[in-house]
Structures are given as C-alpha cells and as structure tokens.
Amino acid sequence: KIKLSAYFCRVMKRLNRLFFKEMIEMLQNRAIKRLIMIPHLSSHLLPLHLLPLRKQLTIGYAWPITCVPSLRMLKQLLHQPTTAATAKMVGLANSLFDLPGTMLELREIQSVFGRNAEIYSGFDVEYQSVPEKLAGSDYVHIACHATFNPAVQDETGILVYCPDASDYPSKKDDLNLSVPSKLLNVKDIAHTIKLKPGSLVTLSACE
C-alpha cells in the first residue's frame, strides 16, 4: 500500500466529510463492479481514487475506477496554442519485439507531426531511458504490452525492455519470454515522467 502523509490524509478525510460522505455510504450498500467518475469543474484536480472508505482502505483499492475527462479540461486543452506543426510527439512501440504491427501504427501518427515526432521501439524503449524520452512532450502514444491490477498499483503499468532485469514480470503465454523486461508501473510513471501541462497520452495496449 502507498504511504500517504498525515496532512494529505487529513485533507482527504475533510473533503470526504464535506462533499462525498453520502456518496461513499451509498456505494458500500450496493454490489458495484466498477466506478466511472465524471469530475465537475475543478474537481478533476483531486485524487478521487484516494477518498477514504474505511480505516486505511480507499475507494481506489475497493473498486476499479475510470475517470472520464471533464468538459472543463477539454475546454482548456482546446485553447492550448500547440499545433501539430510545433508540438513534440513521442511514440513508444514493440518494446518486447513481438508487436511488429505497432510500428505501422506509429508511422501513421508520425506522418501528422513530421519532424517533431520521435519514434522509439525495441531496445530503445528501455526502462531507465523512457522518462527522459517522454519529458516535455505534448503528445505521447504508447503501443506496448500492459498489465492492469485494480487492487495493486505496483502491478499496473507498461512492459518495457530492461537489460538488467533479474526476473521477467512478463511471464505469460502470450508474451515474448526471450526479452528481459520490467514493468514501468503507475508509481514510476507518476514520479519520474514530466510532461507538459495539458499533454495528451494515448495507451494502445492490452488490458
């Protein structure tokens, strides 16, 4: 589990009491398989998946959550001055050498951005170098294998090449076991990858 600061926990509990208490109580009494949240106005800035449910449990651990971008966020993105002629686009594909068709996918996208597009595949989609490659991007397109575990954040992410991987987290029948790989999980992504505000990220992956 993620260790949260005491101050952050107090803030989330206060938000829960003020705005979300009735909703949380209603959710606990229903057989819910998935939550779909549509944030209103600036509430898209809140980490809604970390709202406390009971004791140390948050709603993000209790149910799979999908957050739909708010119309306010869409309006902000539409007013960005960035265009395909000036934007930086980075594409990652075929990190385990078993998805050759993904390069065709990225070439089509590259044709839109021209010289501003950077395409990486195979050994170039390497665990340590991915954050640097994506830094400052306006658009990111990832066409790699991915795994999703709604209960464990460490097991949710994209699989990338890693030459010094001690074990292969990609030990699945449908994945290439001959390539040492490592999971670039959501915590790694949140802490190490710095994109421009308003960036668009597309994940074209399994699960």
Side-chain angles (χ1 to χ4, degrees):
K1 293 184 178 180
I2 301 174
K3 292 184 178 180
L4 304 175
S5 69
Y7 173 76
F8 183 82
C9 289
R10 289 198 301 271
V11 170
M12 294 306 295
K13 287 180 180 178
R14 181 169 176 79
L15 284 172
N16 188 30
R17 288 197 303 271
L18 292 175
F19 304 109
F20 300 103
K21 185 178 179 179
E22 291 184 4
M23 181 191 76
I24 297 296
E25 290 176 350
M26 178 190 70
L27 293 177
Q28 294 185 76
N29 298 322
R30 299 195 178 191
I32 296 175
K33 295 182 178 180
R34 176 182 295 273
L35 292 180
I36 300 177
M37 294 187 170
I38 306 176
H40 180 61
L41 298 177
S42 297
S43 60
H44 68 271
L45 299 174
L46 300 174
L48 299 176
H49 58 289
L50 293 180
L51 285 169
L53 185 62
R54 55 182 180 273
K55 293 184 179 181
Q56 300 299 317
L57 185 67
T58 65
I59 63 173
Y61 281 105
W63 303 290
I65 293 179
T66 299
C67 283
V68 179
S70 67
L71 293 178
R72 182 183 180 92
M73 175 63 75
L74 177 61
K75 182 178 179 181
Q76 292 176 356
L77 290 174
L78 291 176
H79 283 80
Q80 292 288 331
T82 302
T83 65
T86 60
K88 176 185 177 182
M89 180 271 173
V90 177
L92 308 178
N94 201 22
S95 57
L96 300 186
F97 298 89
D98 59 348
L99 297 172
T102 56
M103 287 307 299
L104 297 176
E105 183 179 330
L106 286 190
R107 294 301 180 194
E108 286 294 320
I109 299 171
Q110 185 181 33
S111 67
V112 176
F113 292 90
R115 297 179 181 178
N116 297 321
E118 300 175 10
I119 304 298
Y120 301 97
S121 65
F123 293 126
D124 291 329
V125 188
E126 192 268 330
Y127 181 82
Q128 296 293 340
S129 65
V130 166
E132 182 180 353
K133 287 180 169 67
L134 298 184
S137 300
D138 297 289
Y139 299 91
V140 175
H141 190 92
I142 301 173
C144 301
H145 286 293
T147 63
F148 175 66
N149 186 334
V152 184
Q153 291 184 332
D154 287 350
E155 296 178 7
T156 295
I158 59 173
L159 286 161
V160 296
Y161 170 68
C162 184
D164 57 352
S166 57
D167 59 349
Y168 296 2
S170 56
K171 287 185 178 178
K172 285 185 173 183
D173 293 338
D174 57 341
L175 297 185
N176 188 348
L177 303 184
S178 64
V179 179
S181 59
K182 189 171 182 179
L183 190 68
L184 188 65
N185 63 41
V186 291
K187 287 199 294 185
D188 297 329
I189 293 170
H191 293 155
T192 63
I193 297 178
K194 307 298 181 183
L195 303 176
K196 286 185 179 179
S199 299
L200 174 66
V201 179
T202 301
L203 178 60
S204 175
C206 56
E207 298 195 40

